Amino acid sequence: MKYTWRIVLISMIAIWIFTASECNKPSLKKIPTFSYLEPIVNPPDTFQISYNLRIYGDKSAHVTFADSAVWAVERLGDSHATIRIKHGDTSIIIFNSDTLAFQANQDYVFVANNNNYEINNFFIQLTKLPLDYHTFNPKFK
């Protein structure tokens, strides 16, 4: 009888621990990741671009947005890599993160470079912000 109560008590504690651990699990939203090798047209509201920087030189991703909107652009990973965005004659370097207004149906080129460091994969993330494009300044044209 003494061992039965111990088994019941241990079982109850194990069930309680198991159910408590399931309560506060963070939701893991999968963010779509695109390769720089293929043009990215009409991306979702949050996405990442993956660059393979094992080989030296510029790697360019072409992105065309469906709507004119304000986006947060954020570097993920190695700080030695550089990322710049080109559109026509305009170019801007993203040091850590930036907020930019992009026009619809325009080709923006996101260029990553490893600066001669040994870097394998490098990511940037873009997130559409709930800001009004028309009132946001400056626009990246």
Side-chain angles (χ1 to χ4, degrees), residues 71-141:
W71 291 78
V73 180
E74 180 181 9
R75 301 164 46 99
L76 305 174
D78 200 301
S79 63
H80 291 105
T82 59
I83 185 76
R84 71 181 189 280
I85 306 169
K86 297 188 322 184
H87 181 253
D89 295 334
T90 308
S91 181
I92 186 169
I93 295 174
I94 305 297
F95 292 104
N96 188 25
S97 65
D98 207 343
T99 304
L100 302 168
F102 296 112
Q103 290 180 333
N105 303 315
Q106 299 292 315
D107 181 41
Y108 292 91
V109 183
F110 292 75
V111 181
N113 189 302
N114 63 7
N115 285 326
N116 297 326
Y117 288 95
E118 290 186 23
I119 302 170
N120 287 329
N121 294 322
F122 177 72
F123 296 86
I124 61 169
Q125 181 169 307
L126 286 87
T127 305
K128 191 176 194 180
L129 300 176
L131 300 174
D132 183 42
Y133 173 83
H134 300 291
T135 59
F136 183 84
N137 281 313
K139 308 260 189 308
F140 184 49
K141 295 183 178 184

Side-chain angles (χ1 to χ4, degrees), residues 10-100:
I10 290 171
S11 299
M12 297 282 285
I13 291 172
I15 291 170
W16 180 77
I17 290 172
F18 177 73
T19 56
S21 68
E22 291 295 317
C23 290
N24 295 322
K25 284 209 174 203
S27 63
L28 300 175
K29 281 174 80 173
K30 182 145 175 83
I31 297 174
T33 303
F34 299 93
S35 170
Y36 71 96
L37 297 171
E38 297 290 326
I40 302 166
V41 180
N42 303 337
D45 290 351
T46 299
F47 69 100
Q48 294 178 353
I49 303 173
S50 171
Y51 295 89
N52 179 346
L53 297 181
R54 283 184 217 139
I55 300 171
Y56 301 125
D58 290 345
K59 309 295 185 281
S60 299
H62 293 265
V63 180
T64 303
F65 298 98
D67 303 314
S68 296
V70 180
W71 291 78
V73 180
E74 180 181 9
R75 301 164 46 99
L76 305 174
D78 200 301
S79 63
H80 291 105
T82 59
I83 185 76
R84 71 181 189 280
I85 306 169
K86 297 188 322 184
H87 181 253
D89 295 334
T90 308
S91 181
I92 186 169
I93 295 174
I94 305 297
F95 292 104
N96 188 25
S97 65
D98 207 343
T99 304
L100 302 168

